[in-house]
Amino acid sequence: GLLTSLQTSALTIRTLSSSNSFSQSIPGRLWKLGRLNHVAIAVPDLEKSQSFYKNVLGAQVSETVALPEHGVYTVFVELGNTKLELLHPLGEKSPIASFLQKNKTGGMHHICIEVDDIKVAMTELKKKRIRILSEEPKIGAHGKPVIFLHPKDCHGVLVELEQA
């Protein structure tokens, strides 16, 4: 009855937990993923978005910073455990301008995850045929090297990796 069922379940759990098949299937890495640094949101009206997070939600909101090499204005919204990055186009060739042409009201643009060694990560990702959108890291909004991974290689998500 119930006792036999519980004993069988316990045996199955012990067998599964002592199995090394899962841990053996994880390849050794020379680099590690860190924490979620931020979620980036493209916004058509930066001032309205800043006001919403600051005055309606009560968040701590940074000043606007221009990043001409990336074609964006950025604003960071502090959330305690991570940040939101508000992105607005800077210049006609801004990738955010083309994003907003397709998404008039804005929306999630990318996620940023920290890595402990961006150069080694690039080498290994290229070996795994993950396309990187630049030959070399660029300096991002936090003054640290960043790269972007092609969304088609990341299941539809534009992923930014930032040196921790």
Side-chain angles (χ1 to χ4, degrees):
L2 180 59
L3 181 61
T4 305
S5 178
L6 288 173
Q7 287 172 331
T8 303
S9 296
L11 179 61
T12 303
I13 291 169
R14 273 195 303 272
T15 303
L16 288 173
S17 67
S18 65
S19 167
N20 290 331
S21 62
F22 179 72
S23 62
Q24 288 176 350
S25 67
I26 300 173
R29 284 222 167 88
L30 300 175
W31 60 280
K32 292 180 186 169
L33 276 181
R35 70 183 188 92
L36 174 68
N37 185 284
H38 64 266
V39 174
I41 302 168
V43 297
D45 187 326
L46 192 55
E47 287 182 20
K48 278 186 182 177
S49 295
Q50 279 177 291
S51 178
F52 171 74
Y53 286 101
K54 184 176 184 176
N55 301 324
V56 176
L57 297 182
Q60 183 180 343
V61 178
S62 76
E63 295 297 316
T64 302
V65 175
L67 295 175
E69 64 278 10
H70 292 276
V72 296
Y73 290 103
T74 66
V75 169
F76 282 95
V77 179
E78 293 292 332
L79 298 178
N81 63 342
T82 192
K83 298 178 276 300
L84 297 178
E85 179 184 32
L86 306 180
L87 299 171
H88 187 72
L90 170 61
E92 293 177 15
K93 294 186 179 184
S94 171
I96 300 306
S98 60
F99 181 91
L100 288 172
Q101 286 174 355
K102 298 174 201 156
N103 306 276
K104 301 290 185 207
T105 59
M108 193 193 90
H109 185 261
H110 68 268
I111 63 169
C112 176
I113 304 170
E114 295 175 358
V115 295
D116 66 342
D117 191 328
I118 200 162
K119 290 287 203 173
V120 174
M122 288 177 72
T123 301
E124 286 195 15
L125 289 166
K126 286 178 183 177
K127 286 180 189 173
K128 294 178 180 179
R129 294 197 165 113
I130 303 296
R131 289 173 283 177
I132 299 170
L133 300 180
S134 60
E135 288 299 315
E136 289 296 322
K138 295 180 180 179
I139 299 302
H142 298 114
K144 298 178 179 181
V146 300
I147 57 169
F148 286 87
L149 309 180
H150 199 295
K152 288 184 179 177
D153 298 339
C154 301
H155 307 281
V157 177
L158 179 61
V159 175
E160 178 183 22
L161 298 180
E162 178 180 286
Q163 178 74 44

